[in-house]
Amino acid sequence: MIDDNAREQRSGWRRNNTGRDFELYSGDGFQPATDIGSTEDCNMIGEVIVVGDLKLRENAALDEYDRLGERMYDIVSRLPGFLSVKSFKAEDGEELTLFRFASEEALEAWRNHPDHVETMKRGHAEFYASGFLQICKVIREVGPFEHA
């Protein structure tokens, strides 16, 4: 088991304060979602966005889930075409994670990565009670804009 001090020495995914989702972590601490891959001043048309709403089982082994999440982030963040990941929690408790990829090909490279395929199998067998993924393609973009 990794103690909290050892966790702070490494970068990658860390469980956020909800205890159910991950945020990107660096040695400097958690980064707010706005600091993880900005969309400002870039054309997003053609990008692929994956919306995930995955619910953990009550008896899920959270240490192992954390370990696998960190490993998967380490892999996906090195793949060409991966742009960002952000997690959000609504007032009603629903949590969503958004993954951005530059293209369908970039998403397919991640979806078919052998380590990710094995981890997805484990996720369904050991960690997730329910959920969904929606794969969306950006077809129109408005902005960025500023209001005075």
Side-chain angles (χ1 to χ4, degrees):
M1 186 164 147
I2 301 171
D3 67 29
D4 289 336
N5 291 332
R7 284 183 186 270
E8 291 181 13
Q9 301 301 315
R10 298 193 333 247
S11 296
W13 282 115
R14 294 293 180 267
R15 188 165 301 285
N16 66 15
N17 61 4
T18 68
R20 294 198 50 209
D21 230 354
F22 287 102
E23 294 175 340
L24 184 61
Y25 179 86
S26 70
D28 297 329
F30 288 101
Q31 299 176 17
T34 55
D35 292 341
I36 307 172
S38 173
T39 60
E40 192 173 325
D41 297 327
C42 68
N43 182 344
M44 294 174 56
I45 294 174
E47 285 185 10
V48 175
I49 298 173
V50 178
V51 180
D53 183 354
L54 301 170
K55 308 282 191 271
L56 287 175
R57 297 174 190 218
E58 287 185 26
N59 63 346
L62 297 181
D63 285 345
E64 181 64 4
Y65 184 71
D66 287 350
R67 187 187 72 74
L68 288 171
E70 291 173 19
R71 185 165 171 254
M72 291 301 99
Y73 179 77
D74 185 55
I75 293 170
V76 72
S77 66
R78 297 170 194 261
L79 292 178
F82 169 77
L83 300 175
S84 68
V85 60
K86 300 176 185 179
S87 293
F88 304 91
K89 184 173 183 178
E91 286 184 27
D92 66 2
E94 181 176 16
E95 298 177 43
L96 296 176
T97 301
L98 302 176
F99 287 87
R100 289 181 46 232
F101 292 88
S103 65
E104 290 181 64
E105 294 79 17
L107 172 60
E108 286 302 302
W110 171 237
R111 191 173 78 81
N112 295 316
H113 189 284
D115 290 336
H116 184 229
V117 169
E118 284 303 310
T119 300
M120 283 190 298
K121 289 177 186 174
R122 282 194 67 190
H124 290 288
E126 299 175 34
F127 302 112
Y128 299 119
S130 65
F132 67 83
L133 296 175
Q134 297 172 324
I135 292 73
C136 311
K137 191 165 191 176
V138 177
I139 59 170
R140 186 176 302 113
E141 176 179 285
V142 178
F145 53 85
E146 294 181 22
H147 296 287

